[in-house]
Amino acid sequence: MDAHRVPQVTITPDGGGSSREMQQEDWGANAMDGALRRKLSTSSVSSTGSSAVESEDDLLSDSESKSKGIVTLEHLVDTAENKPWWKLKTIVQWPFSATQRRKLNWVQLAGHKGNFKAADEGTILKKYSENEMWCFERLRDDALLPFVPVYHGVVEKDGESFLHMADLLASFDLPNVMDCKMGVRTYLEEELVRARERPKPREDLYNKMVEVDSEGPTPQEHSQRGVTKPRYMQWRESMSSSNSMGFRIEGIKKCDGTCRTDFKRTRSEQDVMVVFKDFVGGNVNIIKSYLSRLMEIRQALTASEFFKRHEVIGSSLLFIHDHTGNAQVWIIDFGKTTALPEGHMLKHNIPWREGNREDGYLWGLQNLIHTLEAVSSEGSSRE
């Protein structure tokens, strides 16, 4: 496979096209010039090392249509002719040799077309966000630096700006990935204020609410078949463990290719324990590795000047492990992380009341640690 012709996997908002199982011979010398199709899981979960799963709220932004789970594989090679591409529908286990897997470790799944591109080996490009760029700059000398992706600065590609950072999956062999969205809310207070000024009922959000809970909408919302974005977001968090535990499982991609994002009603500690036990395949040692890393993160957050002076919204903890026992947790996604006014600080472990800007991050982390301790204890007692 030509090292200069690097593909990228992104989700597009429209469907169409047939599919077939990709065969081993498709990756021969002429594979790059043929039409390859492969069944993928109908999930929008990402396997990128920078953002395992795009937040549902991001996928449902006012200016974008809902993703239908169709993924497109594009070349990043500059050419005057049309670029070859493939329609992909579901993820299955990659049937490649170890050598071929190493060549494909740059493949990225993301929630929006163009958000991620493959870069040099072991790195990725993430669509430029000035807010996230400033966060990475401020984190260079902070206690959290060892727990965030290595940041290499801003680069230009095809006329667009991207953040150049480490691919967190590069050191894993067929990784299992989980995204946990941290905090009691995934929206900024200013988003609520703006939405209230011009409330816009949306049918797509109404349909998503009804799909999870037919009794969720109010009589008025049923009548107009529309739900505003802030109303949906607050309801969404009340249905999951965001409100009850200060974090929620956003999505999982396993090494066998299975993807899950059906965690909208996963809210109790017991529910979360069941998900984690399945995620690690009952391997208590991996749970213990995760626990050790989470405790290091908690200590770093307590010492972090950045953390004290920022409202951390929409950020995730990315859990990654593989069959070798290699396991890591990383803090990712700073697009909505906002600096506080000069002299202001947050505790991150007290209830949010509109106006106090508290995000509940530390409270959620403590509950997450407690949950994994319960999983570890239960698993150890069975050995």
Coordinates of all heavy atoms in Angstrom, one line a residue, residues 286-320:
I286 N -7.3 -5.3 34.2 CA -7.5 -4.1 33.4 C -8.2 -3.1 34.2 O -7.9 -1.9 34.1 CB -8.2 -4.5 32.0 CG1 -7.3 -5.3 31.1 CG2 -8.7 -3.2 31.3 CD1 -7.9 -5.8 29.9
I287 N -9.2 -3.5 34.9 CA -10.0 -2.6 35.8 C -9.0 -2.0 36.8 O -9.1 -0.7 37.0 CB -11.1 -3.3 36.5 CG1 -12.2 -3.7 35.5 CG2 -11.7 -2.5 37.6 CD1 -13.0 -2.6 35.0
K288 N -8.1 -2.7 37.3 CA -7.1 -2.2 38.3 C -6.2 -1.2 37.6 O -5.8 -0.2 38.2 CB -6.4 -3.3 39.0 CG -7.2 -4.2 39.9 CD -6.4 -5.3 40.5 CE -7.2 -6.1 41.5 NZ -6.5 -7.3 42.1
S289 N -5.8 -1.5 36.4 CA -5.0 -0.5 35.7 C -5.7 0.8 35.4 O -5.1 1.9 35.6 CB -4.5 -1.1 34.3 OG -3.7 -2.2 34.5
Y290 N -7.0 0.7 35.1 CA -7.8 1.9 34.9 C -7.9 2.6 36.2 O -7.8 3.9 36.2 CB -9.2 1.5 34.4 CG -9.3 1.2 32.9 CD1 -10.2 0.3 32.4 CD2 -8.4 1.8 32.0 CE1 -10.3 0.0 31.0 CE2 -8.5 1.5 30.6 CZ -9.5 0.6 30.1 OH -9.6 0.4 28.8
L291 N -8.1 1.9 37.3 CA -8.3 2.6 38.6 C -7.0 3.4 38.9 O -7.1 4.5 39.4 CB -8.6 1.6 39.7 CG -10.0 1.3 39.9 CD1 -10.2 0.1 40.9 CD2 -10.7 2.5 40.5
S292 N -5.9 2.7 38.7 CA -4.6 3.4 39.0 C -4.4 4.7 38.2 O -4.0 5.7 38.8 CB -3.4 2.4 38.8 OG -2.2 3.1 39.0
R293 N -4.8 4.6 37.0 CA -4.7 5.8 36.1 C -5.7 6.9 36.5 O -5.3 8.1 36.5 CB -4.9 5.4 34.7 CG -4.8 6.5 33.6 CD -3.4 6.9 33.4 NE -3.4 7.8 32.1 CZ -2.3 8.3 31.7 NH1 -1.2 8.1 32.2 NH2 -2.4 9.1 30.6
L294 N -6.9 6.5 36.9 CA -7.9 7.5 37.3 C -7.5 8.2 38.6 O -7.7 9.4 38.8 CB -9.2 6.8 37.5 CG -10.0 6.3 36.3 CD1 -11.3 5.6 36.6 CD2 -10.3 7.5 35.3
M295 N -6.8 7.5 39.5 CA -6.4 8.1 40.7 C -5.2 9.1 40.4 O -5.1 10.1 41.1 CB -5.9 7.0 41.7 CG -7.1 6.2 42.3 SD -6.6 4.8 43.3 CE -8.2 4.1 43.7
E296 N -4.4 8.8 39.5 CA -3.3 9.7 39.1 C -3.9 10.9 38.4 O -3.5 12.1 38.7 CB -2.4 9.0 38.1 CG -1.5 7.9 38.7 CD -0.7 7.2 37.6 OE1 -0.8 7.5 36.4 OE2 0.1 6.3 38.0
I297 N -5.0 10.7 37.7 CA -5.7 11.9 37.0 C -6.3 12.7 38.1 O -6.2 14.0 38.0 CB -6.7 11.4 36.0 CG1 -6.0 10.8 34.8 CG2 -7.7 12.5 35.6 CD1 -6.9 10.2 33.8
R298 N -6.9 12.1 39.1 CA -7.6 12.9 40.2 C -6.6 13.7 40.9 O -6.8 14.9 41.2 CB -8.3 11.9 41.1 CG -9.0 12.7 42.3 CD -9.7 11.7 43.2 NE -8.8 10.7 43.8 CZ -9.2 9.7 44.5 NH1 -10.5 9.5 44.7 NH2 -8.4 8.8 45.0
Q299 N -5.4 13.2 41.2 CA -4.3 13.9 41.9 C -3.9 15.1 41.0 O -3.6 16.2 41.5 CB -3.2 13.0 42.2 CG -2.1 13.6 43.0 CD -0.9 12.6 43.4 OE1 -1.0 11.5 43.0 NE2 0.1 13.1 44.0
A300 N -3.7 14.8 39.7 CA -3.3 15.9 38.8 C -4.3 17.0 38.7 O -4.0 18.2 38.7 CB -3.0 15.3 37.4
L301 N -5.6 16.6 38.6 CA -6.6 17.6 38.6 C -6.6 18.5 39.8 O -6.8 19.7 39.7 CB -8.0 17.0 38.4 CG -8.3 16.3 37.1 CD1 -9.6 15.5 37.2 CD2 -8.5 17.4 36.0
T302 N -6.4 17.9 41.0 CA -6.4 18.7 42.2 C -5.2 19.7 42.2 O -5.4 20.8 42.8 CB -6.2 17.7 43.4 OG1 -7.3 16.8 43.4 CG2 -6.3 18.5 44.7
A303 N -4.1 19.3 41.6 CA -3.0 20.2 41.5 C -3.0 21.2 40.4 O -2.2 22.1 40.3 CB -1.7 19.4 41.5
S304 N -3.9 21.0 39.4 CA -3.8 21.7 38.2 C -4.4 23.2 38.3 O -5.5 23.4 38.7 CB -4.7 21.0 37.1 OG -4.9 21.8 36.0
E305 N -3.6 24.1 37.9 CA -4.0 25.5 37.9 C -5.0 25.7 36.7 O -6.0 26.5 36.8 CB -2.8 26.5 37.7 CG -1.9 26.5 38.9 CD -2.7 27.0 40.2 OE1 -3.4 28.0 40.0 OE2 -2.5 26.4 41.2
F306 N -4.8 25.0 35.6 CA -5.7 25.1 34.5 C -7.1 24.6 34.9 O -8.1 25.3 34.6 CB -5.2 24.2 33.3 CG -6.1 24.0 32.2 CD1 -6.0 24.9 31.1 CD2 -7.1 23.1 32.1 CE1 -6.8 24.8 30.0 CE2 -7.9 23.0 31.0 CZ -7.8 23.8 30.0
F307 N -7.2 23.5 35.6 CA -8.5 22.9 36.0 C -9.2 23.9 36.9 O -10.4 24.1 36.8 CB -8.2 21.6 36.7 CG -9.5 20.8 36.9 CD1 -10.4 20.4 35.9 CD2 -9.8 20.4 38.2 CE1 -11.5 19.7 36.1 CE2 -11.0 19.7 38.5 CZ -11.8 19.3 37.4
K308 N -8.5 24.5 37.8 CA -9.2 25.4 38.8 C -9.8 26.6 38.1 O -10.8 27.2 38.5 CB -8.1 25.9 39.8 CG -7.6 24.9 40.7 CD -6.5 25.4 41.6 CE -5.8 24.3 42.4 NZ -4.6 24.8 43.2
R309 N -9.2 27.0 37.0 CA -9.6 28.3 36.3 C -10.4 28.1 35.0 O -10.5 29.0 34.2 CB -8.3 29.1 36.1 CG -7.8 29.7 37.4 CD -6.4 30.4 37.2 NE -6.0 31.1 38.3 CZ -5.5 30.6 39.4 NH1 -5.3 29.3 39.5 NH2 -5.2 31.3 40.5
H310 N -10.9 26.9 34.8 CA -11.7 26.6 33.6 C -12.9 25.8 33.9 O -12.9 24.9 34.8 CB -10.8 25.8 32.6 CG -9.8 26.6 31.9 ND1 -8.6 27.0 32.5 CD2 -9.8 27.1 30.6 CE1 -7.9 27.7 31.6 NE2 -8.6 27.8 30.5
E311 N -14.0 26.2 33.2 CA -15.2 25.4 33.2 C -15.1 24.3 32.2 O -15.0 24.6 31.0 CB -16.4 26.3 32.9 CG -17.7 25.7 32.8 CD -18.8 26.7 32.4 OE1 -18.4 27.9 32.0 OE2 -20.0 26.3 32.3
V312 N -15.0 23.1 32.6 CA -14.7 21.9 31.7 C -16.0 21.3 31.3 O -16.6 20.5 32.0 CB -13.8 20.9 32.4 CG1 -13.4 19.8 31.4 CG2 -12.5 21.6 32.9
I313 N -16.5 21.6 30.1 CA -17.7 21.1 29.6 C -17.5 20.3 28.3 O -16.7 20.6 27.4 CB -18.7 22.3 29.2 CG1 -18.9 23.2 30.5 CG2 -20.0 21.8 28.6 CD1 -19.7 22.4 31.6
G314 N -18.2 19.1 28.2 CA -18.1 18.3 27.0 C -16.8 17.5 26.9 O -16.6 16.9 25.9
S315 N -16.0 17.5 27.9 CA -14.7 16.8 27.9 C -15.0 15.3 28.3 O -15.9 15.0 29.0 CB -13.7 17.4 28.8 OG -12.5 16.7 28.8
S316 N -14.1 14.4 27.7 CA -14.3 13.0 28.0 C -13.0 12.4 28.6 O -11.9 12.9 28.4 CB -14.6 12.3 26.7 OG -15.9 12.6 26.2
L317 N -13.2 11.3 29.2 CA -12.1 10.4 29.6 C -12.2 9.2 28.6 O -13.2 8.6 28.4 CB -12.3 9.8 31.0 CG -12.0 10.8 32.1 CD1 -12.2 10.2 33.5 CD2 -10.6 11.4 32.0
L318 N -11.1 9.0 27.9 CA -11.0 8.0 26.9 C -10.3 6.7 27.5 O -9.1 6.8 27.8 CB -10.3 8.5 25.6 CG -10.3 7.6 24.4 CD1 -11.6 7.5 23.8 CD2 -9.3 8.1 23.4
F319 N -11.0 5.6 27.6 CA -10.5 4.4 28.1 C -10.1 3.5 26.9 O -10.8 3.3 26.0 CB -11.5 3.6 28.9 CG -11.9 4.3 30.2 CD1 -12.8 5.4 30.2 CD2 -11.4 3.8 31.4 CE1 -13.1 6.0 31.4 CE2 -11.8 4.4 32.6 CZ -12.6 5.5 32.6
I320 N -8.8 3.0 27.0 CA -8.3 2.2 25.9 C -7.6 1.0 26.5 O -6.7 1.2 27.4 CB -7.3 2.9 25.0 CG1 -7.8 4.3 24.6 CG2 -7.0 2.1 23.7 CD1 -6.8 5.2 24.0

